[in-house]
Amino acid sequence: MADTLGTDWAIDWLRRSAATVADHRVELGELDRAIGDGDHGENLDRGFRALVAKLDAEAPPTPGSAFKVAAMTLMSTVGGAAGPLYGTAYLRAASAVGEVEVLDAGALVAALTSARDGVVARGKAAPGDKTMIDAWTPAVDAAAAAQGQGVLAVLEAAATAAEAGAVDTDPLIAHKGRASYLGERAVGHRDPGAASSALILRAAAGAAARNAT
Ligand code: ADP
Ligand code: MG
């Protein structure tokens, strides 16, 4: 068993992301309504629906090209803070994996790390600022720790850590984004971008469970 993931996985990840964002559109909107402007679910759903339409029209030939289509589409259709942040994440992941047709555990860790680093470069958030970084950073750390156990373990570990990281934003005061205007009033609410990041990383693991070769 080669223990790699290929283009089918990458496309399946993006499609599953679209499905889970659609399923959680209202919930993400409610999280954002509590500490932001309420548009996070709608924004992401619009972007991922546009992405699915692009994937339907033309299947990308490599994981990297799939990530690049995701980057361009999310950047131009999602809007808000999250559009450029997710766009940058996928663009950096695309650069990290290059033109290869299959990704091993090390390539996956590199892609996730680059995606997280891209969000940090763009948004300048640190861990504990109550942003999507609080899902991404534990996800990257857990993925790196699981690298020796193979592709499925890497993505399962990333998803589980991202989910815990999103929950752990509940007691935090926000230091970036709209929620930072609320001060103490943000305490007790989950960061919507951390919640959507956990959904998207869980979708990556779900796709891997089906597509690992
Ligand atoms: P907007 O705040 O413009 O309405 P969204 O509602 O789509 O944008 O996205 C809000 C999410 O974006 C937040 O929950 C947070 O996770 C993320 N976010 C906002 N600013 C930053 C930043 N500087 N760095 C990382 N993530 C950020
Ligand atoms: Mg918003």
Side-chain angles (χ1 to χ4, degrees):
M1 203 164 107
D3 195 41
T4 57
L5 294 168
T7 310
D8 288 351
W9 164 76
I11 293 173
D12 195 23
W13 175 19
L14 298 174
R15 289 185 180 280
R16 283 168 182 255
S17 298
T20 191
V21 163
D23 285 348
H24 294 86
R25 180 178 57 86
V26 172
E27 186 186 319
L28 292 171
E30 281 167 2
L31 292 178
D32 194 32
R33 187 135 39 84
I35 60 169
D37 58 358
D39 63 355
H40 190 60
E42 296 290 343
N43 284 349
L44 275 187
D45 186 45
R46 181 173 59 247
F48 275 101
R49 276 191 285 114
L51 175 55
V52 167
K54 290 243 178 81
L55 297 172
D56 286 344
E58 189 179 351
T62 60
S65 56
F67 297 159
K68 203 168 284 180
V69 171
M72 297 309 168
T73 310
L74 297 179
M75 232 177 262
S76 63
T77 57
V78 172
L85 292 167
Y86 276 122
T88 303
Y90 279 110
L91 201 58
R92 294 289 186 97
S95 308
V97 302
E99 302 292 308
V100 298
E101 295 194 348
V102 294
L103 308 176
D104 62 13
L108 286 176
V109 171
L112 293 173
T113 305
S114 295
R116 186 275 312 270
D117 291 350
V119 176
V120 171
R122 181 108 200 182
K124 308 278 186 286
D129 281 350
K130 198 175 180 107
T131 71
M132 61 173 72
I133 285 302
D134 292 318
W136 278 93
T137 292
V140 165
D141 292 345
Q147 187 173 319
Q149 296 163 55
V151 293
L152 188 53
V154 162
L155 293 176
E156 288 283 347
T160 300
E163 287 162 357
V167 171
D168 289 346
T169 66
D170 291 9
L172 300 175
I173 291 174
H175 296 291
K176 291 282 182 218
R178 282 180 204 281
S180 65
Y181 308 142
L182 294 180
E184 301 256 333
R185 280 182 291 145
V187 171
H189 298 284
R190 189 156 308 163
D191 178 65
S196 62
S197 295
L199 293 174
I200 288 167
L201 289 166
R202 178 54 67 193
R210 276 200 45 161
N211 289 279
T213 54

